[in-house]
Amino acid sequence: MNGHFIPNTHLDREWTLDFQHTRKMTVDFINDLLDIMDEIPDYHFLLDSQAVPIEDYLEIMPENKERLKKFISAGRINAGPWYSALDMNLISGESIVRNMLYGHMLVEEFGPVMKVGYTPFGWGQCSQLPQIYRGFGIEVAFFYRGVTKDQLPKAEFTWRGADGSTLLTSRFGTGARYNFYFDVWRKAFYSGMEHRLNRRFHWKEDATPFKLTDEGNRYDHGYVFPENRPIQSDQVEESFKDLLAREKEQFGLGEIAFMHGMDTTTPDLREDEVIRSCQEHLEGDDTLFYSSMPNYAEALLEASKGKDLIEINGEARHMKFNEFGFSYIGNDMLSARSRQKAFMTVVENHLTRVVEPFTCQADLLGLAYPVKYLDVAWKQYLKCHPHDTIGGCGIDRIEEDTMYRLRDVMSSANVVCSEALMAIQGEIDTESFGQDGVVLTVYNPSPYVRSELVTAHVDVPQELELKAGFGLEDDQGGVVPFAIEPTGYFGKVFRDHADLALMSYADEFTVRFEAKEVPALGYKSFILKAGEVVPLTPKEESFVLENDQVRATINENGTVDLEELSSGRVYSGLNYFLDEGEVGHSWSRVKPIDDLVIDSRKVKAKRTWLRQSPVENCIEAELVLEIPKTTPRSDERFDWRQTKREAKELVSTTIQVRYSLGKNDPSLGVEVEFENQCHNHRLRAHFPTRLDADESFAESPFDVVTRQFRRREENPYSHFPNLTFPMLRFAGVKTDEGSFAILSGGLKEYEVLDDETATMAITLMRAYENNFCTAGDFDLEARHGDLAQGIGKHLYQYKIYPGQTGRSHELLFREADRFSAPMMAAETRARSGTLPSTYGLLEIDNPCWVVSGMKRASRSSDLMIRIFNCSDETQAGAFQFQKAPTAAQRTDLNEEPIDKEAKLEGNQIKMELSPKEIATVLVTLASV
């Protein structure tokens, strides 16, 4: 047995303390780490596989930059490969790649990046992580959340990803990432102090406490004065021998990881004394030595040669539950703080699928690529990735800070986007439109042609005198169907960088129109000008929305019957709401044993037509639900389920449901708005699919995964108390009879019920008391605040898609793009230019090639395009450029060249992608 002693820590950037409080602990810890590095030459340290602590530390201690660099460069402090300690269930594959790419680029300034896949902090591992790791030159991974010892009797196993990529992987042993720390180190100091070993503070027998007691600090943690406790040498021997014997049963390759560290723990010079004491108690050929994660990974690779290891496939989300329904995987964080998660998704989609593609277009026109602004935006966004932050599992301050960061990212993205589109607009020739109207340019961020409804809030200057009537034409003089209505907003300010701000006397109108055949990654021009007054369409008496693809009938109880017209299949009673009791916390949904369920189907809705036009119609259904003010939590702290939710202190809660359908939409838009005033409850929208299916599907990073929802013995998830799963942009059920999907709009949790209707449910919100396992599993810390209860306004948008998805869900990916990355419109005056009024830069000819990201390359001025093959079959295709590229190069995810062909033929780059393959291409283009 070779024992690898691996000092480490887990750095929550924020959790039960806010970032600044936590950073103080991080700064103190790194200061101590640098000192111990000087004292013990063999000492190595694992910086929790993150890079962002380096930036956080150096903002406070810039004078230690070279000192820190010395130890990272020597490989003694292992940093990266991640930028922040992410959870990957809630973000796109592109965001995962960027997290690792920024981690690499930051650490590379200091020394070698730790090429080890280490994610013990995330709640389950996505199916494409093996391929992502391989794309960064990583061959060995470590995690334990998502696999169980029942699955894997030995720690080491082979993990095969969706595309077939494999990794040697370890789940660690009996104590995960902290076996030595808890089972040897702490016992060496606190043996005989059961309260301390159980992470409880004893006022009389413990160190001296200190805590501020003013109003501003009443909910913050206290501290204890440091004390120098002696090492109990006899306890070291007993504890180490016991741990060694247990870990020999767990690790199967003769290489054992003794992980020494826990949340924000600080290195201690006495570790050397403890290690030397342990070495004295070794027997036979056993060894124990200072090691590191890279050294341990290398030893595992060597030891695994020729060994037949158990293999697991795809996403790793298995879990075990205790008798009270709690699991260490924290699956139910999917529904925690749903407003934060929804806004995070909006920001992610805007940044990756809209702003960056437009900046690439502008870059080709000579505008300096805003790399600094985008880097700032990305790092702010990546600081929202840490697992407790993105999971919503922290104090309320963390939600506040996250929302601030996300708004800051959105602001930066909008500045960049506006500058980019203005640069493009300045080159477009629209002189032929004349000066008597407003030019509207619709920009398409996707590399395929799009036709869809566009909504533009247009400021019409009063000097054009257009209020008598409007007309809309495209750049070929074709009449464009539209609807227009005044908003009542007056006045628009325009800024001249060479002068003062200027006021335009303008009236705002909302214009909805069909933008047909907008070129791939390009734009199309329209003109809003004087025309005849269009009479209003008389309101229908029936509450039916219909186009050539779907018919939606809004029922008296607010539900909708949706017919897919090509097949004639009808999905009835969709979108009803159930409100249930909740007594869990951010990680775990816990249902009271005696629950009262509020069902919206029992309520009559007030139905109202909001809009009727040739291009889009909208109906509102208003429901009032009587919801109990709270669900009382049981006094039995070990089992909160022992409680009853009753019809007491009922609160009238209005839910406004707005159904909308554009002229050519294949899916029905839904907007749900309500004001939550109640505590401890869960609200979900339900959709009976009535499809004879056993599995659901959902978009996950670079993949569409299937999951069994029937609670049968062969279902690996059948024992879950809540059979809920994560989704990115869509989830659904598909059979030969038909397909049904929900496009989520940022909601992250879905479930398909194991009943005869195969009802799909998506969680709108889950309100819970904010309790944390800061010190132990059941000694929970309660933190004051109502944000975890979701008090206040909620507004969510999603779409109901009843049509075919394609063999590989490629049609659904396209519909998700239409929803999550809408085309953008800009207004200007007609002017001359060098570009045509309609133009496209790049088109991809295979719908199974799903675009993940597009930006300027991180290490060159080339255009970076990343796609993945959503199909289970090899897919050939091409990038078609307007002007011929001068060079093309396949790279790995770290944007370093690889030996895979990107064949350049004139204006095309041709490739073949194997099933589920992720491809990164760097393209050199001449300016347009």
Side-chain angles (χ1 to χ4, degrees):
M1 182 281 302
N2 293 319
H4 296 253
F5 179 70
I6 304 175
N8 69 90
T9 191
H10 175 50
L11 292 173
D12 285 311
R13 197 169 187 269
E14 52 197 2
W15 177 33
T16 59
L17 296 172
D18 64 32
F19 165 63
Q20 295 297 350
H21 280 82
T22 308
R23 176 164 54 186
K24 177 59 170 62
M25 299 169 67
T26 300
V27 169
D28 292 345
F29 139 70
I30 293 182
N31 284 336
D32 290 342
L33 173 61
L34 295 177
D35 289 341
I36 200 171
M37 286 283 174
D38 288 332
E39 292 291 329
I40 305 176
D42 291 337
Y43 199 81
H44 290 71
F45 199 86
L46 170 61
L47 202 61
D48 204 29
S49 77
Q50 302 179 61
V52 72
I54 297 172
E55 288 184 332
D56 294 339
Y57 174 75
L58 291 179
E59 283 182 358
I60 304 298
M61 302 292 292
E63 64 271 24
N64 280 345
K65 180 175 182 178
E66 291 304 314
R67 195 176 173 204
L68 185 61
K69 184 175 183 178
K70 178 179 74 172
F71 294 120
I72 295 176
S73 181
R76 293 183 59 195
I77 295 179
N78 303 129
W82 300 105
Y83 181 78
S84 56
L86 79 173
D87 179 73
M88 63 194 68
N89 295 284
L90 302 166
I91 54 178
S92 69
E94 186 63 27
S95 290
I96 294 172
V97 170
R98 300 294 182 91
N99 192 309
M100 187 167 282
L101 184 60
Y102 274 95
H104 273 62
M105 290 189 296
L106 174 55
V107 176
E108 285 168 3
E109 297 178 24
F110 292 82
V113 179
M114 185 182 78
K115 292 289 190 176
V116 176
Y118 182 85
T119 55
F121 29 69
W123 292 294
Q125 320 296 316
C126 69
S127 62
Q128 287 279 38
L129 192 55
Q131 185 178 183
I132 294 171
Y133 276 148
R134 287 285 185 179
F136 282 93
I138 292 171
E139 301 179 79
V140 184
F142 296 87
F143 67 86
Y144 52 88
R145 285 178 176 154
V147 292
T148 69
K149 292 177 183 177
D150 291 340
Q151 276 181 290
L152 304 165
K154 296 296 182 182
E156 304 86 2
F157 59 98
T158 298
W159 183 18
R160 184 178 298 276
D163 73 314
S165 296
T166 60
L167 294 172
L168 173 62
T169 311
S170 171
R171 60 165 173 77
F172 295 116
T174 59
R177 57 179 165 83
Y178 34 68
N179 57 348
F180 190 92
Y181 179 79
F182 273 110
D183 288 348
V184 179
W185 177 258
R186 293 190 79 242
K187 289 180 180 179
F189 293 99
Y190 302 113
S191 181
M193 299 178 67
E194 290 303 313
H195 68 276
R196 192 66 177 255
L197 290 176
N198 290 324
R199 303 174 72 179
R200 291 197 298 274
F201 179 79
H202 195 290
W203 187 267
K204 292 183 177 181
E205 299 178 11
D206 240 310
T208 305
F210 173 83
K211 184 184 180 302
L212 294 175
T213 57
D214 61 291
E215 182 64 28
N217 290 278
R218 62 183 292 199
Y219 298 109
D220 286 337
H221 294 171
Y223 296 90
V224 296
F225 287 95
E227 60 176 3
N228 196 10
R229 298 189 61 84
I231 298 173
Q232 302 176 38
S233 300
D234 57 337
Q235 186 60 45
V236 171
E237 177 181 2
E238 179 182 343
S239 299
F240 177 67
K241 285 184 175 180
D242 178 63
L243 176 62
L244 178 59
R246 287 185 287 116
E247 296 296 40
K248 282 184 175 181
E249 293 297 315
Q250 295 290 315
F251 291 88
L253 297 178
E255 307 286 340
I256 296 179
F258 290 104
M259 304 296 290
H260 178 59
M262 186 49 179
D263 295 17
T264 57
T265 50
T266 300
D268 192 315
L269 277 170
R270 292 172 296 175
E271 292 173 34
D272 194 57
E273 182 180 344
V274 171
I275 287 300
R276 294 185 186 281
S277 176
C278 291
Q279 288 171 333
E280 294 174 0
H281 306 302
L282 295 169
E283 298 177 358
D285 296 331
D286 291 348
T287 63
L288 177 65
F289 49 87
Y290 286 107
S291 188
S292 66
M293 285 306 296
N295 290 340
Y296 183 57
E298 186 176 346
L300 282 183
L301 278 173
E302 183 63 30
S304 68
K305 291 179 179 177
K307 300 292 173 58
D308 186 18
L309 302 178
I310 293 177
E311 181 175 288
I312 67 169
N313 293 277
E315 64 177 356
R317 296 189 51 78
H318 287 64
M319 62 185 93
K320 292 192 71 173
F321 290 87
N322 62 24
E323 59 186 298
F324 310 115
F326 293 116
S327 164
Y328 290 109
I329 198 174
N331 183 65
D332 299 321
M333 61 85 202
L334 297 168
S335 54
R337 303 182 188 269
S338 51
R339 287 178 295 196
Q340 173 188 320
K341 289 178 170 64
F343 186 50
M344 177 200 68
T345 302
V346 169
V347 172
E348 176 188 56
N349 287 330
H350 190 56
L351 185 58
T352 60
R353 300 179 183 279
V354 177
V355 175
E356 286 187 323
F358 289 151
T359 57
C360 289
Q361 290 186 49
D363 186 30
L364 297 174
L365 298 172
L367 180 72
Y369 189 80
V371 62
K372 297 295 184 183
Y373 283 96
L374 287 173
D375 280 346
V376 167
W378 266 104
K379 286 188 175 183
Q380 277 283 69
Y381 171 63
L382 295 176
K383 287 169 184 172
C384 301
H385 278 194
H387 50 289
D388 290 314
T389 302
I390 199 171
C393 309
I395 59 177
D396 280 359
R397 172 65 187 276
I398 308 309
E399 180 178 346
E400 294 170 344
D401 289 351
T402 299
M403 294 298 281
Y404 167 78
R405 290 189 204 110
L406 291 172
R407 292 187 187 101
D408 197 45
V409 174
M410 199 67 163
S411 182
S412 296
N414 284 334
V415 167
V416 167
C417 189
S418 179
E419 290 284 326
L421 295 183
M422 184 175 176
I424 298 171
Q425 189 73 58
E427 298 297 325
I428 300 174
D429 185 1
T430 53
E431 193 170 22
S432 62
F433 280 139
Q435 298 299 314
D436 295 328
V438 177
V439 173
L440 297 178
T441 306
V442 174
Y443 293 92
N444 176 7
S446 303
Y448 49 85
V449 176
R450 286 170 62 169
S451 298
E452 61 206 59
L453 181 76
V454 171
T455 300
H457 304 292
V458 183
D459 292 284
V460 179
Q462 292 185 351
E463 50 265 41
L464 289 182
E465 300 180 352
L466 296 181
K467 294 177 72 173
F470 293 91
L472 186 65
E473 296 179 356
D474 62 23
D475 56 350
Q476 302 302 310
V479 175
V480 176
F482 75 103
I484 188 166
E485 57 184 323
T487 67
Y489 185 81
F490 168 80
K492 180 61 61 178
V493 171
F494 288 87
R495 291 191 171 270
D496 184 337
H497 293 317
D499 193 11
L500 301 177
L502 306 171
M503 172 62 74
S504 169
Y505 279 41
D507 299 293
E508 186 186 69
F509 292 81
T510 298
V511 184
R512 296 178 176 87
F513 63 100
E514 287 187 89
K516 289 185 176 180
E517 301 294 316
V518 181
L521 201 68
Y523 58 83
K524 185 173 183 176
S525 300
F526 301 82
I527 181 74
L528 182 69
K529 59 183 184 178
E532 297 181 2
V533 176
V534 179
L536 293 175
T537 305
K539 291 187 179 299
E540 297 282 352
E541 293 183 4
S542 63
F543 293 97
V544 177
L545 304 173
E546 185 173 3
N547 61 22
D548 291 339
Q549 299 186 65
V550 294
R551 178 187 296 115
T553 303
I554 315 305
N555 300 314
E556 287 191 347
N557 60 4
T559 62
V560 59
D561 298 340
L562 192 59
E563 181 180 359
E564 201 279 312
L565 296 177
S566 67
S567 65
R569 185 171 186 84
V570 177
Y571 298 91
S572 58
L574 302 175
N575 203 44
Y576 66 87
F577 303 96
L578 294 184
D579 189 88
E580 305 163 281
E582 171 66 53
V583 290
H585 51 50
S586 57
W587 296 277
S588 295
R589 147 79 174 157
V590 179
K591 178 183 175 67
I593 287 178
D594 193 351
D595 197 9
L596 173 67
V597 179
I598 311 300
D599 189 337
S600 73
R601 289 174 293 184
K602 300 177 182 179
V603 175
K604 185 174 181 178
K606 177 185 176 182
R607 294 173 292 174
T608 308
W609 277 94
L610 296 185
R611 293 189 299 274
Q612 281 188 298
S613 76
V615 292
E616 189 245 14
N617 297 307
C618 181
I619 295 171
E620 179 179 86
E622 184 176 281
L623 300 156
V624 179
L625 303 186
E626 300 297 327
I627 298 176
K629 180 69 175 177
T630 191
T631 305
R633 177 174 282 184
S634 169
D635 293 333
E636 172 52 68
R637 71 187 184 99
F638 290 108
D639 194 351
W640 297 327
R641 298 172 299 180
Q642 306 293 331
T643 188
K644 182 178 183 180
R645 190 192 197 207
E646 300 180 273
K648 295 180 178 179
E649 296 185 78
L650 298 178
V651 176
S652 297
T653 302
T654 300
I655 301 178
Q656 294 169 312
V657 186
R658 291 179 279 273
Y659 297 103
S660 60
L661 186 65
K663 182 178 180 181
N664 295 301
D665 284 347
S667 56
L668 178 69
V670 184
E671 184 175 82
V672 178
E673 183 175 1
F674 58 92
E675 183 93 13
N676 178 48
Q677 304 172 63
C678 302
H679 291 69
N680 300 333
H681 66 118
R682 181 179 72 168
L683 180 66
R684 299 203 296 180
H686 291 70
F687 310 86
T689 72
R690 296 180 177 85
L691 292 171
D692 185 14
D694 297 328
E695 295 179 334
S696 66
F697 66 82
E699 184 191 15
S700 70
F702 297 119
D703 198 8
V704 177
V705 296
T706 57
R707 295 150 176 155
Q708 296 184 48
F709 63 85
R710 301 295 181 189
R711 292 182 181 272
R712 297 168 180 157
E713 185 176 347
E714 65 271 17
N715 182 354
Y717 308 114
S718 61
H719 63 288
F720 283 25
N722 312 302
L723 208 58
T724 53
F725 292 106
M727 60 178 169
L728 293 182
R729 293 181 299 168
F730 58 81
V733 179
K734 179 179 178 180
T735 68
D736 292 338
E737 310 165 47
S739 299
F740 181 91
I742 297 293
L743 292 104
S744 70
L747 297 167
K748 297 298 183 181
E749 181 181 83
Y750 81 95
E751 179 177 9
V752 181
L753 305 182
D754 181 14
D755 59 17
E756 67 278 3
T757 64
T759 293
M760 187 174 175
I762 58 173
T763 306
L764 300 181
M765 67 161 295
R766 184 168 64 88
Y768 53 87
E769 294 183 16
N770 218 19
N771 292 274
F772 300 103
C773 52
T774 313
D777 291 340
F778 291 102
D779 292 323
L780 298 180
E781 171 197 7
R783 294 302 293 265
H784 178 73
D786 269 345
L787 287 180
Q789 294 285 359
I791 301 299
K793 180 180 177 180
H794 291 251
L795 178 64
Y796 303 108
Q797 294 177 325
Y798 48 90
K799 285 198 167 191
I800 308 174
Y801 182 85
Q804 294 300 313
T805 70
R807 288 188 60 188
S808 303
H809 304 283
E810 66 271 13
L811 301 180
L812 197 49
F813 274 108
R814 290 285 174 94
E815 185 65 7
D817 268 353
R818 283 167 26 91
F819 185 36
S820 62
M823 297 196 294
M824 294 183 67
E827 67 173 297
T828 188
R829 190 177 69 193
R831 57 181 285 156
S832 62
T834 59
L835 290 174
S837 55
T838 295
Y839 184 82
L841 171 70
L842 164 64
E843 184 168 4
I844 294 177
D845 67 0
N846 189 330
C848 290
W849 284 14
V850 178
V851 175
S852 167
M854 185 180 302
K855 66 181 182 72
R856 180 185 278 192
S858 297
R859 296 179 174 84
S860 72
S861 59
D862 293 330
L863 171 68
M864 189 285 305
I865 307 170
R866 187 159 23 252
I867 58 175
F868 71 96
N869 175 12
C870 67
S871 171
D872 290 322
E873 301 173 351
T874 297
Q875 295 287 338
F879 300 116
Q880 175 74 48
F881 290 86
Q882 189 71 27
K883 295 186 69 174
T886 59
Q889 171 69 60
R890 289 282 301 270
T891 73
D892 62 14
L893 295 178
N894 201 29
E895 298 182 15
E896 296 174 342
I898 59 174
D899 187 22
K900 285 191 176 182
E901 184 179 34
K903 191 175 182 181
L904 182 57
E905 293 183 0
N907 288 27
Q908 291 189 332
I909 298 173
K910 296 182 177 182
M911 299 187 305
E912 276 194 355
L913 299 187
S914 57
K916 300 297 178 74
E917 182 180 1
I918 306 166
T920 304
V921 184
L922 299 191
V923 183
T924 306
L925 290 168
S927 294
V928 174

